[in-house]
PDB file of all heavy atoms in Angstrom:
ATOM      1  N   SER C 239     -17.806 -21.200  18.439  1.00 87.00           N
ATOM      2  CA  SER C 239     -17.599 -20.184  19.484  1.00 87.00           C
ATOM      3  C   SER C 239     -18.129 -18.803  19.048  1.00 87.00           C
ATOM      4  O   SER C 239     -18.533 -17.967  19.839  1.00 87.00           O
ATOM      5  CB  SER C 239     -16.102 -19.974  19.856  1.00 87.00           C
ATOM      6  OG  SER C 239     -15.432 -19.318  18.846  1.00 87.00           O
ATOM      7  N   GLY C 240     -18.224 -18.607  17.714  1.00 85.00           N
ATOM      8  CA  GLY C 240     -18.657 -17.326  17.214  1.00 85.00           C
ATOM      9  C   GLY C 240     -17.700 -16.156  17.527  1.00 85.00           C
ATOM     10  O   GLY C 240     -18.019 -14.995  17.292  1.00 85.00           O
ATOM     11  N   GLN C 241     -16.475 -16.487  17.943  1.00 87.00           N
ATOM     12  CA  GLN C 241     -15.509 -15.483  18.296  1.00 87.00           C
ATOM     13  C   GLN C 241     -14.480 -15.173  17.201  1.00 87.00           C
ATOM     14  O   GLN C 241     -13.777 -14.169  17.240  1.00 87.00           O
ATOM     15  CB  GLN C 241     -14.709 -15.907  19.542  1.00 87.00           C
ATOM     16  CG  GLN C 241     -15.646 -15.996  20.769  1.00 87.00           C
ATOM     17  CD  GLN C 241     -16.252 -14.636  21.129  1.00 87.00           C
ATOM     18  OE1 GLN C 241     -15.576 -13.643  21.274  1.00 87.00           O
ATOM     19  NE2 GLN C 241     -17.490 -14.689  21.355  1.00 87.00           N
ATOM     20  N   LYS C 242     -14.417 -16.151  16.203  1.00 91.00           N
ATOM     21  CA  LYS C 242     -13.382 -16.019  15.149  1.00 91.00           C
ATOM     22  C   LYS C 242     -13.939 -15.016  14.040  1.00 91.00           C
ATOM     23  O   LYS C 242     -15.150 -15.126  13.742  1.00 91.00           O
ATOM     24  CB  LYS C 242     -13.028 -17.274  14.562  1.00 91.00           C
ATOM     25  CG  LYS C 242     -12.238 -18.180  15.547  1.00 91.00           C
ATOM     26  CD  LYS C 242     -11.884 -19.504  14.919  1.00 91.00           C
ATOM     27  CE  LYS C 242     -11.175 -20.403  15.937  1.00 91.00           C
ATOM     28  NZ  LYS C 242     -11.044 -21.776  15.435  1.00 91.00           N
ATOM     29  N   SER C 243     -13.074 -14.244  13.541  1.00 95.00           N
ATOM     30  CA  SER C 243     -13.517 -13.300  12.485  1.00 95.00           C
ATOM     31  C   SER C 243     -12.391 -13.116  11.461  1.00 95.00           C
ATOM     32  O   SER C 243     -11.193 -13.441  11.624  1.00 95.00           O
ATOM     33  CB  SER C 243     -13.830 -11.953  13.147  1.00 95.00           C
ATOM     34  OG  SER C 243     -12.669 -11.348  13.634  1.00 95.00           O
ATOM     35  N   LYS C 244     -12.845 -12.503  10.258  1.00 97.00           N
ATOM     36  CA  LYS C 244     -11.890 -12.126   9.281  1.00 97.00           C
ATOM     37  C   LYS C 244     -12.145 -10.689   8.934  1.00 97.00           C
ATOM     38  O   LYS C 244     -13.345 -10.280   8.985  1.00 97.00           O
ATOM     39  CB  LYS C 244     -12.124 -12.954   7.943  1.00 97.00           C
ATOM     40  CG  LYS C 244     -11.791 -14.398   8.127  1.00 97.00           C
ATOM     41  CD  LYS C 244     -10.361 -14.787   7.734  1.00 97.00           C
ATOM     42  CE  LYS C 244     -10.147 -16.268   7.738  1.00 97.00           C
ATOM     43  NZ  LYS C 244      -8.727 -16.584   7.461  1.00 97.00           N
ATOM     44  N   LYS C 245     -11.163  -9.927   8.640  1.00 97.00           N
ATOM     45  CA  LYS C 245     -11.341  -8.511   8.340  1.00 97.00           C
ATOM     46  C   LYS C 245     -11.477  -8.433   6.723  1.00 97.00           C
ATOM     47  O   LYS C 245     -10.671  -8.833   6.071  1.00 97.00           O
ATOM     48  CB  LYS C 245     -10.106  -7.680   8.787  1.00 97.00           C
ATOM     49  CG  LYS C 245     -10.146  -7.593  10.408  1.00 97.00           C
ATOM     50  CD  LYS C 245      -8.933  -6.870  10.919  1.00 97.00           C
ATOM     51  CE  LYS C 245      -7.718  -7.697  10.864  1.00 97.00           C
ATOM     52  NZ  LYS C 245      -6.529  -7.062  11.475  1.00 97.00           N
ATOM     53  N   VAL C 246     -12.530  -7.799   6.322  1.00 98.00           N
ATOM     54  CA  VAL C 246     -12.812  -7.701   4.902  1.00 98.00           C
ATOM     55  C   VAL C 246     -11.735  -6.958   4.197  1.00 98.00           C
ATOM     56  O   VAL C 246     -11.362  -7.228   3.105  1.00 98.00           O
ATOM     57  CB  VAL C 246     -14.214  -7.104   4.671  1.00 98.00           C
ATOM     58  CG1 VAL C 246     -14.428  -6.874   3.145  1.00 98.00           C
ATOM     59  CG2 VAL C 246     -15.308  -8.067   5.143  1.00 98.00           C
ATOM     60  N   CYS C 247     -11.271  -5.858   4.847  1.00 97.00           N
ATOM     61  CA  CYS C 247     -10.320  -4.955   4.195  1.00 97.00           C
ATOM     62  C   CYS C 247      -8.933  -5.525   3.833  1.00 97.00           C
ATOM     63  O   CYS C 247      -8.431  -5.372   2.718  1.00 97.00           O
ATOM     64  CB  CYS C 247     -10.150  -3.652   4.934  1.00 97.00           C
ATOM     65  SG  CYS C 247      -9.299  -3.846   6.547  1.00 97.00           S
ATOM     66  N   ASP C 248      -8.345  -6.251   4.787  1.00 95.00           N
ATOM     67  CA  ASP C 248      -7.062  -6.777   4.506  1.00 95.00           C
ATOM     68  C   ASP C 248      -6.980  -8.316   4.454  1.00 95.00           C
ATOM     69  O   ASP C 248      -6.028  -8.885   3.848  1.00 95.00           O
ATOM     70  CB  ASP C 248      -5.992  -6.244   5.527  1.00 95.00           C
ATOM     71  CG  ASP C 248      -6.116  -6.918   6.863  1.00 95.00           C
ATOM     72  OD1 ASP C 248      -7.197  -7.278   7.234  1.00 95.00           O
ATOM     73  OD2 ASP C 248      -5.067  -6.865   7.603  1.00 95.00           O
TER      74      ASP C 248
END
Side-chain angles (χ1 to χ4, degrees):
Chain C
S239 75
Q241 296 298 308
K242 292 181 184 168
S243 68
K244 296 268 185 182
K245 292 177 279 186
V246 171
C247 66
D248 73 333

